[in-house]
Amino acid sequence: MSKSVETLTQDPNARYRSQLQAPTSTAVWLLIAVITMFFFLFTVAYRIRMTLPDWQPISEPWQLAVSTVMLVMSCVTMHLCYRKAALLPSLRANHALLVWTVIFTFGFVFSQLWAWQALLEANLGVGSSPAASFFYLLTGLHGLHVLGGLIALSWVVFHAGRGHHNQLYPALRLCTRYWHFLLFVWLFLLGLLRLT
């Protein structure tokens, strides 16, 4: 019998139940709070800077739409993976969804680099204007947090691959929480850049 089938039960109402480790869950909430304050402070600085006379808004590259789709799809596949791990907490059962999550997440990062390239081709480098500088700063910091999420997901997969399948579901739950938070931050930044 395969490892993914061993977790099944005859009870149709049964659900995989695992207590989230309180310190880990608290640490993720604390990380989210710190990142929220971090971006809040940059938003305040952005709003103050744009009131000065030399502010010249830039047109955001259309590649941001691709970035948004990639991040949304990454969140969807991560959420489906977390839900599936509730019943089948094994890497084999969740392999395809994990792969798609990583593909969409890297798609987000590469589409961000594509957007940067489009701005550079329009002679809008980092130091060309305050608006361009903030664009690179805000999107770059968000991209770094996305890559940090991929590192955490890699650790979860590595840990589960060493036989700790009972920790896959709670770990994916925390990763999903972080992914949804990153999507919220991205949509906020997108709105901030578009409306100003």
Side-chain angles (χ1 to χ4, degrees):
M1 185 178 290
S2 67
K3 290 184 179 180
S4 60
V5 178
E6 288 175 359
T7 60
L8 296 177
T9 177
Q10 297 298 324
D11 183 1
N13 297 318
R15 292 290 181 269
Y16 179 81
R17 300 196 183 275
S18 175
Q19 296 286 330
L20 278 176
Q21 296 177 357
T24 308
S25 181
T26 303
V28 171
W29 281 120
L30 183 60
L31 176 65
I32 287 173
V34 169
I35 295 172
T36 299
M37 289 305 300
F38 188 68
F39 278 103
F40 172 75
L41 293 174
F42 274 111
T43 301
V44 171
Y46 178 86
R47 296 291 293 177
I48 292 172
R49 185 63 184 86
M50 67 179 290
T51 61
L52 298 179
D54 63 339
W55 183 267
Q56 295 292 329
I58 62 171
S59 297
E60 289 80 27
W62 62 268
Q63 289 87 348
L64 293 185
V66 178
S67 298
T68 304
V69 170
M70 289 291 144
L71 192 57
V72 168
M73 292 306 298
S74 176
C75 282
V76 168
T77 53
M78 176 63 84
H79 186 80
L80 292 175
C81 185
Y82 141 69
R83 294 296 298 257
K84 188 172 185 178
L87 294 174
L88 297 170
S90 73
L91 285 178
R92 184 181 301 174
N94 295 281
H95 180 263
L97 286 170
L98 285 169
V99 168
W100 278 112
T101 299
V102 171
I103 289 172
F104 285 129
T105 305
F106 273 118
F108 171 80
V109 173
F110 288 127
S111 61
Q112 285 295 97
L113 295 175
W114 189 15
W116 284 9
Q117 181 183 11
L119 286 180
L120 290 172
E121 290 173 356
N123 294 321
L124 291 170
V126 177
S128 61
S129 72
S133 298
F134 266 101
F135 179 86
Y136 286 106
L137 176 68
L138 294 173
T139 57
L141 286 173
H142 184 269
L144 287 176
H145 286 93
V146 170
L147 290 175
L150 277 178
I151 293 172
L153 182 61
S154 300
W155 180 85
V156 167
V157 170
F158 173 76
H159 199 58
R162 298 192 63 170
H164 302 280
H165 295 296
N166 60 328
Q167 296 179 14
L168 182 64
Y169 168 70
L172 285 178
R173 184 175 180 182
L174 295 176
C175 286
T176 302
R177 181 188 302 169
Y178 184 70
W179 247 253
H180 290 335
F181 168 72
L182 289 178
L183 176 60
F184 172 77
V185 171
W186 173 249
L187 294 177
F188 172 78
L189 292 177
L190 198 62
L192 179 69
L193 294 169
R194 288 269 169 92
L195 295 175
T196 56

